């Protein structure tokens, strides 16, 4: 059987070329580091964000140990804010796993959001690009290498105070468009830097624009035009991922110009498939915590089967894999798709 | 006279629901200038307006930007009225609350709406802000002798800290009422951790906060009848 000889990379890249794969690929374009990967790389979570070599090794581990069909860097959501001059707290002294947060967001005005001319050289963008190159050199033939950037609205909310930004969205759309256009430029240039380093596909994460937060009307007027701009500027396979409530905006998501759309467990995937029709690439929507971390291996298997039955072209966890995921659940997730085929 | 007060209450309500801060401020000032009761105006004008906002949010007519703008309009009126509220122990909910977002989490929109609710009700609010080190919650509850502790987390990655805080606070003062909220929590989890209340997910936490404005108004009405 031809599928047996295909590499993970061939399967994923063929899928992006709209050739459906059997078994359905299991991967994602978001963080996929586990505590086992951190162990393999011999580094703590707080430290891994600042070390390209460790980042590359830790990310590769989910493929090497479990057969996860993509290797993705980075692991945090602070790269853009840092490149824009903000400071991150990585919680180096904390025992548990805490994701870095932005410490000094600015008041939400267009003046406070200026794109640096040398963006690609700032913060950790060069470090993430280096991690991509390392993974690509070592595993590039076998497995798809992915990276991600924040969507314009989410990115702006990492640089500017989010509550003020949300109010600005309601009060001053002209100023919002200026901010989002600049944020879109950051996202597109960052994505292109990662592609130049060897990323096979780039995911744009616009979690701040779900219908838990913004109205579908605001999504259409304010968010979608800037997502379209980003996808028009980024080459190669791309994915638009939005977590949270997306049922009412999934059609607009599919119309942003990304190669594929990804949604999380709050989305009724079968209904979205019916809305989008059979052609559009739709990824999702395994619950990354309640199922993948807290569930039994059998519950993980069932959830994977449900994703496939609902019409997922690839099984994607709805967010970053939470690092303390049990190893047997990672294995169950990978096995379930193969078993079903 | 009563009609005029009703008119002003309606102005306050509509000013809040239509996030018209100027309109709220003008009506609030009129309440004072014309000698009406500031506390009544807060509860039956501003808070009633926010209750309607909660309904609109639940019905997917309003989203987070609108709710935040409504809250701003409410604050505009509250700042004018609050200094003129006569402290009347028979009808005001009393107490102190410590509130904050746990370490690792900088999402404070839901927390700020819960805080607003407590402020309307006349509580003394000790707001620790966001990304609050866990030991800080414990210290603050004890040093302020507060009745309530409210913690929020928007991320799975940070919610575990709440359990540690609950355990430590319970050890030292079992009577403190503890409420937790945020997207990743479940009622089951909140209960297992020993919390007294919880908000089911992000929008529900927001709604829970807005709903509690309503239940506090009821408490106020009960107290008014009783007094």
């Amino acid at each position: 059987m031809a599928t047996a000889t295909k590499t993970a990379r061939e399967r994923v890249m063929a899928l992006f070329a709209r050739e459906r794969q059997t078994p359905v690929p299991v991967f994602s374009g978001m963080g996929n580091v586990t505590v086992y990967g951190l162990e393999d790389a011999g580094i703590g979570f707080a430290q891994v964000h600042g070390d390209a070599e460790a980042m590359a090794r830790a990310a590769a581990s989910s493929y090497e140990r479990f057969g996860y069909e993509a290797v993705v860097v980075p692991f945090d959501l602070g790269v853009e804010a840092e490149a824009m001059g903000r400071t991150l707290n990585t919680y180096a002294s904390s025992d548990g796993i805490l994701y870095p947060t932005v410490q000094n967001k600015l008041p939400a005005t267009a003046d406070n959001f200026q794109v640096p001319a040398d963006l690609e050289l700032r913060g950790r963008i060069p470090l993430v690009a280096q991690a991509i190159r390392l993974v690509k050199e070592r595993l590039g033939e076998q497995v798809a290498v992915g990276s991600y950037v924040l969507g314009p609205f989410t990115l702006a909310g990492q640089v500017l105070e989010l509550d003020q930004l949300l109010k600005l969205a309601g009060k001053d759309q002209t100023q919002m468009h200026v901010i989002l256009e600049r944020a879109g430029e950051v996202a597109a240039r960052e994505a292109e830097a990662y592609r130049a380093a060897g990323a096979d596909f780039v995911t744009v994460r616009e979690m701040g624009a779900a219908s838990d937060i913004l109205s579908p009307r605001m999504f259409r007027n304010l968010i979608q035009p800037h997502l379209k701009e980003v996808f028009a500027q980024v080459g190669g396979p791309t994915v638009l991922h939005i977590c949270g409530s997306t049922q009412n905006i999934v059609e607009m998501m599919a119309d942003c110009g990304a190669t594929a759309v990804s949604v999380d467990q709050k989305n009724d995937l079968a209904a979205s498939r019916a809305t989008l029709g059979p052609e559009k690439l739709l990824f999702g929507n395994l619950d990354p915590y309640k199922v993948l971390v807290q569930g039994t291996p059998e519950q993980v298997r069932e959830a994977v089967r449900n994703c496939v039955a609902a019409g997922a072209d690839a099984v994607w966890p709805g967010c970053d894999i939470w690092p303390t995921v049990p190893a047997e659940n990672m294995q169950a997730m990978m096995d379930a798709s193969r078993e079903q085929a | 006279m009563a009609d005029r007060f009703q008119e002003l209450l309606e102005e306050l309500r509509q000013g809040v629901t239509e996030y018209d801060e100027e309109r709220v401020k003008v009506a609030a000032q009129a309440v004072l200038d014309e000698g009406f009761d500031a506390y009544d105006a807060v509860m039956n004008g501003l808070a009633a307006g926010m209750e309607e906002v909660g309904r609109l949010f639940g019905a997917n007519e309003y989203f987070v930007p609108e709710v935040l703008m409504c809250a701003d309009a409410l604050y505009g009126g509250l700042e004018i009225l609050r200094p003129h509220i006569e402290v009347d122990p028979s009808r005001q909910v009393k107490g102190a609350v410590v509130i904050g977002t746990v370490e690792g989490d900088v999402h404070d929109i839901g927390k700020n709406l819960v805080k607003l609710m407590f402020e309307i009700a006349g509580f003394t609010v000790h707001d620790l802000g966001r990304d609050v080190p866990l030991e800080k919650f414990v210290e603050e509850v004890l040093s302020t002798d507060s009745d309530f502790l409210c913690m929020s987390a928007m991320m799975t990655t940070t919610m575990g800290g709440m359990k540690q805080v609950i355990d430590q606070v319970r050890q030292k003062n079992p009577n403190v009422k503890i409420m937790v909220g945020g997207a990743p929590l479940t009622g089951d989890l909140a209960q297992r951790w020993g919390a007294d209340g919880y908000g089911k997910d992000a929008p529900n936490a927001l709604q829970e906060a807005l709903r509690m404005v309503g239940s506090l108004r009821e408490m106020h009405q009960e107290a008014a009848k009783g007094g």
Side-chain angles (χ1 to χ4, degrees):
Chain A
M1 219 168 85
T3 50
T5 58
K6 274 190 197 165
T7 64
R9 181 172 190 280
E10 284 166 338
R11 280 164 40 75
V12 166
M13 296 316 279
L15 178 64
F16 278 123
R18 301 186 187 284
E19 294 164 28
R20 263 64 178 185
Q21 299 296 302
T22 309
V24 169
V26 180
F27 70 110
S28 105
M30 293 171 281
N32 62 19
V33 68
T34 66
V35 287
Y36 320 105
L38 292 170
E39 212 178 283
D40 291 347
I43 198 164
F45 189 66
Q47 289 75 34
V48 76
H49 311 296
D51 183 331
E53 170 64 33
M55 194 186 278
R57 286 179 57 195
S61 160
S62 293
Y63 166 71
E64 291 165 337
R65 280 180 177 247
F66 307 106
Y68 202 65
E69 292 175 276
V71 175
V72 179
V73 291
F75 310 133
D76 71 306
L77 302 173
V79 175
E80 293 84 358
E82 223 174 17
M84 300 279 294
R86 303 298 91 216
T87 309
L88 294 191
N89 183 355
T90 57
Y91 305 98
S93 59
S94 175
D95 299 335
I97 287 179
L98 292 176
Y99 279 79
T101 57
V102 183
Q103 293 305 295
N104 50 355
K105 294 185 185 183
L106 298 169
T109 65
D111 282 348
N112 280 337
F113 197 103
Q114 305 288 349
V115 186
D118 59 346
L119 176 80
E120 293 84 351
L121 302 175
R122 291 174 62 116
R124 285 180 296 135
I125 294 179
L127 187 146
V128 173
Q130 175 61 14
I132 291 169
R133 276 191 288 273
L134 291 172
V135 175
K136 192 72 188 166
E137 273 168 32
R138 293 166 193 171
L139 296 169
E141 300 285 307
Q142 303 169 42
V143 61
V145 179
S147 188
Y148 57 80
V149 301
L150 299 181
F153 185 76
T154 309
L155 198 162
Q158 285 286 67
V159 175
L160 307 174
E161 286 292 352
L162 184 58
D163 59 333
Q164 295 175 19
L165 192 72
L166 285 160
K167 282 185 268 188
L168 202 63
K171 283 179 188 164
D172 187 348
Q173 301 239 328
T174 311
Q175 199 176 167
M176 271 307 285
H177 277 297
V178 173
I179 293 172
L180 293 177
E181 198 179 311
R182 291 174 186 168
E185 184 192 333
V186 173
R189 283 172 58 183
E190 185 192 4
E192 279 299 294
Y194 295 160
R195 270 177 30 82
D200 293 310
F201 68 101
V202 177
T203 302
V204 175
R205 306 175 66 170
E206 188 66 301
M207 65 271 267
S211 312
D212 311 292
I213 301 168
L214 300 181
S215 67
R217 192 166 55 105
M218 204 175 260
F219 187 90
R220 179 180 300 282
N221 296 335
L222 206 55
I223 305 301
Q224 195 190 26
H226 298 284
L227 283 171
K228 281 184 174 174
E229 288 264 306
V230 172
F231 287 111
Q233 291 170 60
V234 179
T238 49
V239 183
L240 172 60
H241 174 83
I242 300 182
C243 55
S245 300
T246 48
Q247 213 71 47
N248 294 329
I249 56 170
V250 73
E251 225 174 335
M252 288 188 271
M253 287 172 67
D255 194 28
C256 284
T259 316
V261 161
S262 162
V263 292
D264 81 358
Q265 60 280 0
K266 275 184 117 174
N267 188 285
D268 178 345
L269 205 65
S272 292
R273 173 52 81 197
T275 304
L276 298 182
E279 294 303 313
K280 298 271 186 191
L281 286 178
L282 178 62
F283 300 166
N285 64 345
L286 201 62
D287 189 323
Y289 194 74
K290 280 180 199 149
V291 174
L292 213 44
V293 175
Q294 295 183 316
T296 61
E298 191 38 53
Q299 285 167 330
V300 173
R301 280 193 170 80
E302 190 190 342
V304 169
R305 288 194 293 266
N306 288 343
C307 292
V308 173
D313 296 308
V315 175
W316 272 36
C319 191
D320 303 296
I321 286 184
W322 173 233
T324 62
V325 57
E328 60 268 31
N329 284 2
M330 284 294 287
Q331 202 54 60
M333 174 173 69
M334 300 313 303
D335 292 345
S337 180
R338 293 183 206 124
E339 286 162 8
Q340 198 176 27
Chain B
M1 194 68 179
D3 284 355
R4 172 61 181 155
F5 189 45
Q6 285 308 315
E7 201 178 293
L8 287 174
L9 290 180
E10 187 55 29
E11 273 296 292
L12 291 170
R13 279 195 290 266
Q14 282 189 21
V16 169
T17 55
E18 289 166 26
Y19 41 91
D20 187 340
E21 192 174 338
E22 267 320 296
R23 191 169 164 192
V24 173
K25 283 180 175 171
V26 169
Q29 194 55 52
V31 166
L32 298 181
D33 293 347
E34 295 172 36
F36 296 112
D37 185 77
Y39 188 68
D40 244 350
V42 168
M43 297 311 286
N44 296 314
L46 298 178
M50 208 60 191
E51 211 179 326
E52 171 66 6
V53 173
R55 194 195 64 75
L56 291 165
F57 184 78
N60 285 336
E61 286 184 47
Y62 275 9
F63 291 79
V64 178
E66 291 81 13
V67 172
L68 290 175
M69 289 189 288
C70 293
D72 273 2
L74 187 151
Y75 266 120
L78 193 61
E79 270 165 31
I80 293 169
L81 293 169
R82 190 160 41 192
H84 301 275
I85 292 174
E86 287 168 33
V87 179
D88 178 353
S90 71
R91 61 177 202 174
Q92 251 186 289
V93 183
K94 291 173 302 177
V97 55
V98 170
I99 191 165
T101 304
V102 297
E103 183 172 56
D105 215 319
V106 294
H107 300 90
D108 60 356
I109 288 170
K111 184 270 291 175
N112 286 340
L113 285 162
V114 177
K115 174 189 171 186
L116 170 64
M117 180 265 303
F118 279 109
E119 285 181 331
I120 289 172
F123 280 81
T124 306
V125 180
H126 305 283
D127 182 9
L128 298 178
R130 57 196 185 190
D131 193 17
V132 179
L134 303 180
E135 61 276 12
K136 181 80 184 148
F137 283 105
V138 183
E139 283 167 24
E140 190 77 6
V141 168
L142 296 175
S143 70
T144 60
D145 197 22
S146 288
D147 315 272
F148 275 88
L149 167 62
C150 295
M151 291 180 285
S152 82
M154 264 300 290
M155 300 188 296
T156 307
T157 53
T158 57
M159 67 177 179
M162 291 179 176
K163 185 186 182 311
Q164 295 177 42
V165 177
I166 294 172
D167 290 347
Q168 288 173 36
V169 170
R170 288 276 183 246
Q171 266 177 26
K172 292 175 176 151
N173 182 352
N175 297 324
V176 178
K177 289 269 178 224
I178 304 177
M179 304 205 300
V180 293
L185 272 106
T186 62
D188 187 40
L189 214 51
Q191 206 175 16
R192 234 186 302 153
W193 289 350
D196 301 292
Y198 82 105
K200 186 166 148 276
D201 56 23
N204 278 7
L206 214 90
Q207 252 199 302
E208 182 75 355
L210 299 172
R211 190 188 62 74
M212 285 174 75
V213 174
S215 66
L216 280 162
R217 283 182 65 240
E218 275 166 31
M219 282 167 71
H220 152 68
Q221 281 157 1
E222 291 295 312
K225 271 186 238 158

